[in-house]
Amino acid sequence: MFYLDSQRTTTRRDSSLITNRKNKDFDDISLYLGQPPCLYNIESSTSVVPARPKGSVQKELVTLMFESMLDSIVESWETIMPEKQEESYLNLDISKVPSETFTLSTGKKKKASAKPSKTKRSRSKLTLTDTVQDSQIIWWSAPDEKAVIRFRNGNVYEGNISMKCMHGEGRLQWADGTVYLGHFKDNEICGKGFIQWKDDTWYEGEFMGNLRHGQGLYVNSRLQRSYTGGWNRGTKHGEGAIYYSKDFKNSYDGGWLQNERFGYGSREYCTSSGYKGEWERNIREGKGLMIWPNDDFYRGEWKNGVMSGHGIYIWEANYNNTMSVPSLKAYQGYWEKGQRNGQGVLSLGLGWGSYYKGDFVNNMKSGTGKFVTNNGLILQGKKMFVDDNLSSMSSNDSFYTENSKGPVEPHQFDICDSSVGLSYHVEQALRNFDKQQEIISSIVADYIENNKIGRNKDVSTQARVAFVKDEHREKEHEELEFFQDLMVFEEDALRKSLRCYETDLKNIYYKYATICNVEEIHFTPIMTRLYLWQLYYDCHIHEKGLTLCDIDSMFYQNPAWLARNPHDPFEKIYFWQFVHSLISVASKLYAKRTLPGPKPDTVLACAFRYFMEQDILPGCKQHRGRLVNGFGTFVPLKAAYTLYRALGEPHTVRQFLRAVRKAPHINYLSQPPITYPPDEYLPLGRNLYIFGDEMSFIVDENLPEQEDKDTSSSKLFNFANLSNRTIINIFVKIFPQLCKDRHIMNLNIKLTFFEFFEAFLECADESIKVTEGENKFRNRISVAMAPRSSPVDFKSKML
């Protein structure tokens, strides 16, 4: 018969029981299988012979030829007798097959002979009464039966037989000990079944044409291996999971194509190493994510099993499980045959933001690049590195910084310098002096000088002109020296102020970089712009007439501060950028608009100290809003940011109002109904930075897929049960300047994502309260309108 190979496919043994039936017609088998060979008209005592089915001649010839070969194949054929049923011919159910209605007369073991026996001839004949003529239908007349067949090669079959073929439920045992229990069809294993080989391997699932085909489970008990999934003609094909060890830590779960990993799948090599991504012919090909046993991490493109294309590689990447961004030692850029080649960004992981951006050749820094230090100092040049080393200073090459005025010798650069470029802030503060006051002072000074010159009558006109020019040059020189001295003094005073608050600034930076964490971290965190917005919100910056959009615009104006996007909430803000932002806000709020008085009075240093003492230090001790009170952890921030950007980045309060509800004066458009999604569709999870610096939302449980609905005519979101006044009052809590004396002053105030997040959650909370109040009111009305038997019952129901 057949035996199944323990590794790949089901193979075929030499057996004359398997016949090749080409062009076999099965169109009418399902119609006539199990039906009696003829129908009789009892009343007329005449037989009615149905028409010969299509293809019956071929089936009869095949059956006769097969019966003639049984003697050389079968050693014994034992028919299993069904239970006897004593019934008259009048109670005969002609819808049953003969094997179900008559008792066959073969109860002993008997060899099959080539010549048909009387018993076999009797099976094709139905005798009802003496008045009914004997009739025999020849075509495919072999009835269904159950038998135990012993073959000459040692195989044994026990089960259903149809047309002398194994068909239906049965059990087949090979001479070598392999056993199959399941479905057969025309002498072939087909359908659901279970097979166990002599080497303790077994398979349970679907078969077709003696091969594993469909869904099934294969287990190798000796090697403790298993595979469950799809099969195609004996090979792993489709979706399936294979486990190479008993502890399930060495496995693959994904797509297969003819016994090879293909498509998207997850390969786990051990407890600390694995790959998840695209495959082709058992090789990593396409996009994927790889984690090595030494905690190195790569996510990007693959070719021929190695890193090729664009991707990010992180050294010693630990599972974060928090909402804080770690300081990474990572490379993000282009790869070729497993090595860094082309443009890329290498983060050094030395603390707060040092990185190199430029060219790489064969895994080494080489060529044009830019080097940014921990304190924001920038070095750049056309030949920045040569073979991974800083190139030497030459007459043709020079290195410049964004915060200095001339060339810098790279080998004299201290990467741990704690200073930051402060000249920009001082220049901006001096440019913001009151111009009108300067003009008045200039006019008065010119008037005094002219009067002094006019009193000297003895000096000639030419001499007076020369004297005025010399005095003017001297005055300009003095003013230039004065402003240069003022710049140096202001910058030095501001640097000393920063050093006075250095410990406080670092503590505040660390506190807000981990403000949404519920677990302790063991790495150096990096603040994001979202957490910086939270700091300003806690310090009541909005009450001073300054919005977060204004702060972002001030920071984005200086390209030396390397802001990629002015309003991206997930952009990293390094410590030196954090300090620049604080100085900019302090200058905007408290810097003087006139020249300072006698020393030690300053324009910017005093403003920064006042800002720290009055706003930052008191404000950071208490947190306001919903971001840090649980909602920032459990509300999908990425999805909420997508919702925010759908209205524009940034958008105004007016645009928000138009999006949440239609204008009440548009009578021909009705308000859309408020819909509440069922609880099983609400995502329950947490926002986490698992690996790297990209936030992910991890769902706690698998949710059912929602059906796609047409939302083209609906609003982005809907708070139709809230009035415009209610929504404006919510925004007034964030922007006090929005209203004055209960009058709307300005609806064109721009919103960052933080302000949108706070207002949106407040609107959702208020909408739920209004809905609950309406439902409670309806319940009270329904109770009041219900018939009551006595005033006492009515009073008790109302209570």
Side-chain angles (χ1 to χ4, degrees), residues 503-513 527 535 578 582 612 616-617 620:
T503 303
D504 294 328
L505 290 174
K506 289 182 178 180
N507 291 336
I508 293 172
Y509 183 86
Y510 180 87
K511 177 180 179 180
Y512 276 85
M527 180 186 288
L535 172 62
F578 167 71
L582 292 179
M612 290 292 298
I616 298 298
L617 294 180
C620 68

Side-chain angles (χ1 to χ4, degrees), residues 719-746:
F719 298 125
N721 60 342
L722 299 181
S723 63
N724 286 335
R725 172 57 63 180
T726 302
I727 299 176
I728 291 175
N729 288 336
I730 292 174
F731 276 105
V732 170
K733 298 178 183 178
I734 303 174
F735 304 104
Q737 66 271 28
L738 185 63
C739 290
K740 184 177 182 182
D741 298 333
R742 299 181 62 85
H743 295 288
I744 299 175
M745 304 302 295
N746 183 17

Side-chain angles (χ1 to χ4, degrees), residues 337-537:
K337 295 181 180 180
Q339 293 185 336
R340 300 188 295 268
N341 274 282
Q343 287 284 333
V345 179
L346 177 64
S347 300
L348 303 180
L350 299 176
W352 290 320
S354 56
Y355 66 90
Y356 166 79
K357 181 179 181 180
D359 296 334
F360 287 82
V361 177
N362 296 330
N363 234 19
M364 295 185 293
K365 299 182 288 293
S366 182
T368 304
K370 177 190 291 186
F371 192 83
V372 181
T373 67
N374 283 353
N375 63 350
L377 191 62
I378 301 173
L379 301 178
Q380 58 183 357
K382 293 184 178 181
K383 293 183 180 180
M384 188 70 186
F385 282 88
V386 175
D387 295 336
D388 222 24
N389 297 313
L390 282 169
S391 61
S392 59
M393 194 70 177
S394 63
S395 58
N396 297 327
D397 298 330
S398 61
F399 296 83
Y400 293 92
T401 68
E402 297 288 346
N403 300 323
S404 62
K405 302 300 181 181
V408 174
E409 175 60 40
H411 300 290
Q412 296 178 357
F413 169 68
D414 185 5
I415 197 171
C416 298
D417 186 11
S418 60
S419 63
V420 293
L422 304 177
S423 59
Y424 176 83
H425 297 286
V426 177
E427 292 176 357
Q428 291 296 113
L430 297 181
R431 289 176 183 174
N432 292 332
F433 280 172
D434 191 346
K435 301 298 181 181
Q436 185 175 3
Q437 184 66 30
E438 291 181 7
I439 293 172
I440 295 174
S441 301
S442 178
I443 293 175
V444 173
D446 291 341
Y447 175 77
I448 294 174
E449 293 298 331
N450 291 334
N451 289 339
K452 287 181 180 180
I453 296 174
R455 293 193 188 98
N456 191 354
K457 303 295 182 180
D458 298 333
V459 182
S460 62
T461 303
Q462 185 176 0
R464 287 201 305 270
V465 172
F467 177 76
V468 170
K469 291 181 178 181
D470 293 340
E471 194 174 77
H472 184 67
R473 293 193 190 97
E474 184 178 354
K475 182 180 178 182
E476 289 181 349
H477 181 69
E478 291 177 355
E479 290 179 354
L480 180 60
E481 290 182 350
F482 170 77
F483 277 102
Q484 288 178 350
D485 294 339
L486 181 62
M487 285 280 296
V488 173
F489 175 74
E490 286 284 344
E491 186 174 348
D492 185 62
L494 183 57
R495 182 174 290 107
K496 291 179 180 179
S497 298
L498 291 174
R499 290 178 180 176
C500 290
Y501 293 101
E502 181 177 2
T503 303
D504 294 328
L505 290 174
K506 289 182 178 180
N507 291 336
I508 293 172
Y509 183 86
Y510 180 87
K511 177 180 179 180
Y512 276 85
T514 59
I515 195 170
C516 290
N517 285 1
V518 295
E519 299 179 3
E520 184 180 359
I521 63 173
H522 303 283
F523 55 82
T524 302
I526 299 177
M527 180 186 288
T528 62
R529 183 174 281 113
L530 183 63
Y531 301 150
L532 180 62
W533 287 337
Q534 179 67 51
L535 172 62
Y536 288 136
Y537 187 65

Side-chain angles (χ1 to χ4, degrees), residues 268-295:
E268 187 175 3
Y269 299 98
C270 61
T271 56
S272 58
S273 177
Y275 171 82
K276 186 175 183 180
E278 298 176 352
W279 297 80
E280 184 174 345
R281 302 184 64 86
N282 284 334
I283 298 176
R284 295 183 289 269
E285 186 82 16
K287 294 182 179 180
L289 182 152
M290 178 75 183
I291 301 176
W292 282 269
N294 61 351
D295 296 330

